[in-house]
Amino acid sequence: MFARSRWLPRSLSRLAAALQGGNGSQGTRGVSGLLVCHRSIYGKSRQLLENGSKFSIFHIQHFRTSAVFNDDVMTVNTPAFAESVTEGDVRWEKAVGDEVGEDEVVCEIETDKTAMQVPAPHAGIIEELLVPDGGKVEGGTPLFKLRKIEGGAAKSKSAAASAPKPEAPTPPPTPAATAGAIPTTMPPVPPVKTQPMDSKPVSAVKPTAAPVAHTAADMGLKGFRTEQRVKINRMRQRIAQRLKEAQNTCAMLTTFNEIDMSNIQEMRTLHKETFLKKHNMKLGFMSAFVKASSFALQNQPVVNAVIDDTTKEMIYRDYIDISVAVATPKGLVVPVIRNVENMNYADIEKAINELGEKARKNELAIEDMDGGTFTISNGGVFGSMFGTPIINPPQSAILGMHGIFERPVAIKGQVVIRPMMYVALTYDHRLIDGREAVLFLRKIKATVEDPRLLLLDI
């Protein structure tokens, strides 16, 4: 610290001259102070000379001040986006002055495909928001300024826990307690007026109108008719754009069939407990349709192909990545289960559970939804009986599942009640002919109704 001072060499030279000049004399010269790093260090020296001794003892008193760091306020930037995403809209979860803990979500960036959370890198207090709510940002754009504090969240939690609880209000005293003793004497009689009361004839009395009671019907007719405008988020805009592109680009056609769910329901009922104990998850119907679709795509590879409009070529893919449509409050997302051709029922159920957990926690990344060669949409979870799905571009087909309802069907000349499901396949007629589409859907029907076909590969 002394090496940084420009005054230090001069002061030391003065001190040495005083020592040399004061040898054997009674007078001393003291150092009054040194200016170090623009701060004053006060001290004093004294010289003790006894019997002509040649040594001196100096005492220098100084103090230190704690330094104020200039890096306690940090600027948090927008994290890098994926290659297919260039910008997003900011939705703030916190405001200026809010105290946040480490890894606590401060804002959420909505992109075309997903919503990305931005956590606080350090515990602290938000000093400034550099982007307004709903503003557009790109990768690396400054978002907010954070003043770092040590253990801020822990302190606030401990203070809240140690705060005294408000005392419960005392109940009001009962009327019996405030009534006092029962009176034993009669109350005084009010005096009688000596003047006669004013009287009016009945004809002079004018009736007053009773207050009109407003019924719920009147309120509904006159109404509190209001409306509000809500900005469409980026994900919803992108979904609408892609769906319209699919309608304008693809020659969509839909074929239908129905599936008897008796055998798959019986298999699920028979093995669901054992499946739960071994794999620690429930056995659903979705894995049966995903595996059946993979088997049918191998049988009809044209359904797994796609048209490249730029080069005017058909691209046949040897891998099968199936997108599963999931409805969220912000829009429809389609996480992808990859390499389904190499999976069994347990692997598929595990992948579906992991993607579903990410979707519920809003933690789906763009990599989880990128790609996909075929899509399955299950509207049956909402009670849908029948519908025509729209292709998810750039794919060429989509399978629509619906609800399971008991219906009378004719089996071997007899009418029986069976749990039935309607299924629909929408395909791009530019690439897929009706024959391939119908055979593809029949293969799914046969595999779901009798899963043993997967083992026999027929």
Side-chain angles (χ1 to χ4, degrees):
M1 180 171 65
F2 284 97
R4 295 174 57 185
S5 174
R6 295 181 298 176
W7 298 89
L8 185 58
R10 185 182 303 176
S11 301
L12 291 178
S13 63
R14 290 178 181 176
L15 182 59
L19 293 176
Q20 293 176 0
N23 191 11
S25 63
Q26 298 296 326
T28 60
R29 298 179 63 184
V31 182
S32 59
L34 298 177
L35 180 63
V36 181
C37 298
H38 302 286
R39 294 187 181 94
S40 295
I41 298 180
Y42 297 94
K44 65 179 180 178
S45 63
R46 62 182 180 178
Q47 186 177 13
L48 301 177
L49 300 175
E50 297 180 358
N51 300 325
S53 60
K54 296 183 179 181
F55 65 89
S56 301
I57 301 175
F58 288 85
H59 297 276
I60 300 178
Q61 298 178 354
H62 62 277
F63 63 89
R64 295 179 180 177
T65 59
S66 60
V68 178
F69 297 99
N70 294 326
D71 58 345
D72 57 348
V73 177
M74 62 183 303
T75 302
V76 180
N77 298 329
T78 305
F81 295 143
E83 296 181 358
S84 58
V85 178
T86 58
E87 61 182 10
D89 295 338
V90 178
R91 184 173 62 85
W92 292 104
E93 301 285 347
K94 303 294 182 180
V96 176
D98 289 351
E99 184 175 339
V100 295
E102 187 175 358
D103 295 333
E104 186 176 354
V105 178
V106 178
C107 67
E108 193 174 61
I109 301 177
E110 294 181 350
T111 64
D112 297 342
K113 296 184 177 181
T114 184
M116 180 171 54
Q117 296 178 343
V118 179
H122 196 279
I125 299 175
I126 298 177
E127 289 285 322
E128 183 181 359
L129 302 180
L130 304 178
V131 179
D133 190 60
K136 296 181 180 180
V137 293
E138 298 178 353
T141 303
L143 284 175
F144 61 95
K145 292 184 177 180
L146 180 70
R147 180 175 295 276
K148 297 188 292 185
I149 57 176
E150 295 297 334
K155 291 181 181 179
S156 61
K157 291 181 180 180
S158 61
S162 61
K165 296 182 180 180
E167 297 180 358
T170 57
T174 58
T178 59
I182 299 175
T184 56
T185 60
M186 292 293 293
V189 179
V192 180
K193 295 182 180 181
T194 57
Q195 296 180 356
M197 298 177 61
D198 296 336
S199 61
K200 294 181 180 181
V202 177
S203 60
V205 178
K206 297 181 179 181
T208 58
V212 180
H214 296 281
T215 61
D218 296 336
M219 296 297 291
L221 293 176
K222 298 180 181 179
F224 293 97
R225 295 166 56 86
T226 61
E227 61 181 19
Q228 58 179 348
R229 293 177 178 266
V230 180
K231 183 180 178 181
I232 302 177
N233 57 47
R234 281 183 166 270
M235 186 183 299
R236 179 64 64 182
Q237 293 178 15
R238 182 59 176 167
I239 292 172
Q241 179 183 357
R242 289 175 61 85
L243 292 178
K244 194 59 182 175
E245 287 177 356
Q247 285 185 331
N248 296 337
T249 303
C250 301
M252 290 189 293
L253 189 63
T254 306
T255 183
F256 305 93
N257 213 320
E258 59 180 1
I259 299 177
D260 187 355
M261 301 293 291
S262 301
N263 289 336
I264 196 69
Q265 282 187 346
E266 182 181 355
M267 185 187 74
R268 180 175 180 269
T269 304
L270 183 62
H271 300 289
K272 64 179 181 179
E273 296 296 336
T274 307
F275 190 88
L276 179 61
K277 291 180 181 179
K278 182 176 181 179
H279 301 287
N280 197 23
M281 55 186 174
K282 295 182 179 180
L283 176 62
F285 296 121
M286 198 66 187
S287 56
F289 279 90
V290 172
K291 189 60 181 178
S293 299
S294 173
F295 187 65
L297 288 171
Q298 291 175 315
N299 186 261
Q300 297 292 335
V302 67
V303 183
N304 200 47
V306 66
I307 294 179
D308 190 350
D309 293 321
T310 58
T311 60
K312 305 301 180 183
E313 295 176 341
M314 294 186 298
I315 303 174
Y316 287 86
R317 292 168 287 201
D318 298 331
Y319 57 90
I320 298 175
D321 296 343
I322 295 183
S323 305
V324 180
V326 179
T328 65
K330 295 182 180 180
L332 188 69
V333 295
V334 280
V336 181
I337 306 174
R338 306 189 187 278
N339 299 322
V340 182
E341 70 276 10
N342 300 325
M343 293 184 175
N344 54 25
Y345 280 23
D347 297 333
I348 296 173
E349 288 290 346
K350 182 179 180 180
I352 292 175
N353 289 337
E354 291 177 354
L355 294 174
E357 187 69 19
K358 285 186 177 181
R360 283 189 293 271
K361 294 182 179 180
N362 198 19
E363 296 178 352
L364 281 175
I366 298 178
E367 293 78 10
D368 296 328
M369 297 177 288
D370 192 19
T373 62
F374 185 74
T375 300
I376 299 178
S377 175
N378 186 9
V381 295
F382 306 109
S384 173
M385 182 177 181
F386 207 77
T388 55
I390 300 178
I391 294 176
N392 179 25
Q395 300 173 9
S396 300
I398 180 173
L399 175 68
M401 299 169 53
H402 301 92
I404 302 174
F405 301 98
E406 290 187 347
R407 294 199 307 271
V409 293
I411 298 178
K412 295 181 180 181
Q414 295 182 353
V415 178
V416 295
I417 305 298
R418 292 293 179 88
M420 305 296 293
M421 174 193 289
Y422 286 119
V423 290
L425 177 70
T426 300
Y427 57 96
D428 189 356
H429 210 348
R430 300 179 303 164
L431 177 64
I432 305 171
D433 294 332
R435 173 182 176 274
E436 286 79 10
V438 172
L439 292 177
F440 175 83
L441 197 57
R442 286 184 58 185
K443 180 64 69 173
I444 292 179
K445 169 184 170 66
T447 308
V448 173
E449 289 182 346
D450 191 0
R452 293 174 295 182
L453 298 179
L454 296 171
L455 301 175
L456 300 175
D457 194 17
I458 58 175

